[in-house]
Amino acid sequence: MTGTRRTVAALFLLPALVLLGALVVYPIGYSLIRSFLSQSGDSFAGFDNYRALFTDDGIRTALKNNIIWVVFAPTVSTALGLIFAVLTERVRWGTAFKLVVFMPMAISMLAAGIIFRLVYDQDPDKGVANAVWVGVHDTFAESSAFPKAHPGRQSPLRPDRGGFVTDTTVHTGRTVALPLVGVAPDRMPKSAGPAARAQPQPGKVTGTAWQDFTRGKGVGKLGAVDPAEQGYAGMRIEAVKDGRVVASTKAAADGTFTLPAAADGARLRLPASNFREPYNGVDWLGPALVTPAVIGAYVWMWAGFAMVLIAAGLAGVPRELLEAARVDGANEWQVFRRVTVPLLAPVLAVVTVTLMINVLKIFDLVFIIPPGSSQDDANVLALELYRKGFSEDQPGIASAIAVFLLLLVIPVMLFNIRRLRREVRR
């Protein structure tokens, strides 16, 4: 009878064992053997492929980035999950909030990568991150409206420290013409109006700064204000004597400006601030920030996973302990730090270890989000494995990376299994 039961059990287990052998044991064994062979597979290479793990620049960058991933991605995701789980217990709409935070888990890594490739786009008109960043920046430091403006033909202006200055001095009771070109009509400030000729005023220097260009052949006169042309509204004009600014003003909507008598005998300068390139945001996917940016996308996806597990553990925390701590005079921060977090330590360990195993194998987001110019800087071991195996035709090194990844995952898995066994014994 016992033999029959064993036979029946073996028959039931056989399909699972076959699949386990074909999909897990065989690939691991083959990768281990292949990692000791040459790239062609015809000869024994010893530890040459493993030596490449620590000498190849691409693999070393990938290893460094994997360390950054393992340290920061699980920690930030778990911390956010803990904060969300604790806070959502105190609000009425906590369930709806949990649903929204957990929703990214329903999105595939591929879709999330495409979403964040757009979010991190350098153009503020396309990328949400830079749209917000530029909006905040421009609130405190407005960008120039004339970054491409420059003197045209027969202009009285010459370059000066990023701006322009008049060739000759100006005097009160006379008008000054400051013609510029180079700003597309659709890039002119919304406040800009038709340019107007300034009128001379006794004891003052007056003039016009305007776009000395009119569309259409034979339309307008060079160096003369034409009603079809636009004034440089908001253009800053400074009167400079001996390198010192003695007066300054801004052009009106029609480009006209007025300076006091102190400007008499000075040169007029259009400072470099008028021509500063507009702020274009942060290069999120550049070499310096690409890895933190991709980690941000990962946290967006997996913070919900951490929150749900921690919230489940939090539901099992005895409320009497929390109330007892409050009765003893502990404030909410002390209750959280001294009671809630220690009681949730097993759950936090599960979440952190699970995410550590997950980030060791991260591939999709790193493959999709960084552009080709910075993908080398965001490289991780799983991506380097793919590159070596399929793009560079180095299966020996790819197999060595696979075995190395397995060796990195095994200690974390063993720790998790031992911890789970201790929990079962309790």
Side-chain angles (χ1 to χ4, degrees):
M1 192 66 177
T2 303
T4 304
R5 287 181 177 178
R6 288 179 179 174
T7 303
V8 171
L11 290 174
F12 274 105
L13 288 173
L14 185 60
L17 292 174
V18 171
L19 288 175
L20 184 67
L23 301 179
V24 178
V25 178
Y26 173 74
I28 291 175
Y30 180 80
S31 297
L32 181 62
I33 295 172
R34 189 66 182 82
S35 67
F36 289 102
L37 301 179
S38 64
Q39 304 310 321
S40 62
D42 297 331
S43 59
F44 182 72
F47 288 94
D48 290 348
N49 293 324
Y50 289 94
R51 194 175 296 112
L53 299 181
F54 304 98
T55 57
D56 184 277
D57 290 338
I59 299 177
R60 285 195 296 181
T61 300
L63 183 58
K64 180 195 71 176
N65 287 336
N66 262 102
I67 294 172
I68 295 173
W69 271 90
V70 169
V71 171
F72 289 101
T75 305
V76 175
S77 299
T78 304
L80 284 177
L82 175 61
I83 294 170
F84 291 155
V86 172
L87 293 181
T88 50
E89 279 204 335
R90 300 175 177 272
V91 294
R92 292 182 180 177
W93 37 270
T95 302
F97 180 81
K98 288 179 181 178
L99 177 64
V100 171
V101 175
F102 188 73
M103 197 175 295
M105 285 296 298
I107 303 174
S108 69
M109 285 280 198
L110 173 64
I114 294 172
I115 290 170
F116 273 86
R117 179 68 179 268
L118 297 174
V119 167
Y120 291 132
D121 195 288
Q122 181 68 40
D123 187 350
D125 293 331
K126 298 178 182 178
V128 175
N130 265 341
V132 174
W133 194 268
V134 170
V136 172
H137 174 274
D138 289 351
T139 301
F140 300 98
E142 187 176 354
S143 297
S144 167
F146 318 108
K148 302 297 182 183
H150 60 275
R153 292 177 296 159
Q154 303 176 17
S155 174
L157 296 166
R158 58 179 173 79
D160 178 69
R161 292 183 293 181
F164 304 98
V165 67
T166 57
D167 289 323
T168 58
T169 57
V170 298
H171 299 281
T172 57
R174 301 180 186 177
T175 60
V176 183
L178 301 178
L180 295 164
V181 295
V183 181
D186 60 341
R187 295 291 183 179
M188 291 292 285
K190 294 180 181 179
S191 58
R197 187 190 303 273
Q199 300 300 318
Q201 298 181 30
K204 294 183 178 180
V205 175
T206 58
T208 304
W210 84 102
Q211 174 88 338
D212 189 22
F213 176 80
T214 305
R215 286 181 175 176
K217 187 176 180 180
V219 179
K221 183 180 178 182
L222 188 65
V225 177
D226 188 273
E229 297 166 344
Q230 287 184 298
Y232 278 134
M235 174 73 75
R236 185 172 182 81
I237 299 101
E238 297 175 344
V240 182
K241 286 184 180 179
D242 300 324
R244 185 170 58 91
V245 177
V246 296
S248 65
T249 187
K250 284 189 176 182
D254 58 4
T256 59
F257 60 88
T258 303
L259 289 165
D264 186 61
R267 295 176 186 269
L268 297 190
R269 182 172 68 190
L270 306 180
S273 58
N274 289 314
F275 312 102
R276 184 175 54 243
E277 289 287 342
Y279 183 65
N280 203 36
V282 177
D283 188 9
W284 297 104
L285 299 181
L289 293 177
V290 63
T291 295
V294 180
I295 290 176
Y298 178 89
V299 170
W300 176 76
M301 290 192 68
W302 288 86
F305 167 82
M307 178 196 66
V308 170
L309 291 188
I310 294 170
L314 193 60
V317 172
R319 302 300 164 182
E320 304 82 34
L321 295 177
L322 304 180
E323 293 303 326
R326 295 188 180 100
V327 170
D328 287 341
N331 57 36
E332 291 303 317
W333 169 246
Q334 290 172 327
V335 171
F336 173 76
R337 187 165 59 93
R338 299 288 183 85
V339 181
T340 305
V341 172
L343 290 174
L344 287 175
V347 178
L348 296 176
V350 170
V351 173
T352 304
V353 171
T354 303
L355 293 180
M356 286 176 65
I357 295 173
N358 187 268
V359 299
L360 282 171
K361 304 179 294 179
I362 193 70
F363 169 81
D364 317 62
L365 294 178
V366 183
F367 183 71
I368 297 165
I369 295 178
S373 58
S374 60
Q375 196 173 72
D376 288 343
D377 299 286
N379 200 11
V380 290
L381 288 174
L383 177 59
E384 188 64 17
L385 187 156
Y386 169 82
R387 284 178 164 185
K388 296 295 185 187
F390 297 97
S391 299
E392 301 177 19
D393 195 24
Q394 298 184 46
I397 296 178
S399 298
I401 296 174
V403 174
F404 183 64
L405 269 175
L406 177 64
L407 294 176
L408 291 178
V409 171
I410 286 176
V412 183
M413 292 177 62
L414 291 175
F415 170 80
N416 210 21
I417 291 171
R418 290 180 62 184
R419 192 201 55 76
L420 289 173
R421 285 179 177 174
R422 285 197 303 267
E423 289 296 321
V424 171
R425 293 192 191 105
R426 291 177 186 175

